[in-house]
Amino acid sequence: MVSEARAGRIARRIQEELSVVLLMEASDPRLEGAFVTDVSVDRELAFASVYLSAVEGAERSEEILDGMRSASGFLRSTLAKRIDLRTFPRLRFYWDPTPENADRIDRLIASLHEDPDEKDSPE
């Protein structure tokens, strides 16, 4: 078992390296536009939970998650070569709706700040 601080450092390193691999080395077209929003590692280092999102939003979530699951062996072996751990955690992938939710909230707030006269005036 590792300390929470060490697990956090390992998670951040996995996130950084996985982001680079997705950007530079992944050739699966299903993974285009995907980005890693967060990684958490359990204290036994058995599993790394990888949270993903995309610019297009949830409409591509299944496609991206399927692509990540099919590439998990390649990703795990690539990450294991870059991050020195005795055993590398197995990767689990989840969709993260946070960026989409934040964008929706931003639009709602912006609509509240709009001048009501601007909506009615023709341009």
Side-chain angles (χ1 to χ4, degrees), residues 17-55:
E17 293 296 337
L18 185 56
S19 295
V20 170
V21 170
L22 284 176
L23 189 62
M24 306 298 255
E25 298 176 31
S27 60
D28 190 335
R30 295 177 290 183
L31 303 180
E32 288 182 18
F35 57 91
V36 180
T37 59
D38 194 22
V39 174
S40 62
V41 178
D42 64 349
R43 291 190 60 192
E44 290 80 27
L45 298 181
F47 294 99
S49 298
V50 178
Y51 298 91
L52 301 154
S53 194
V55 175

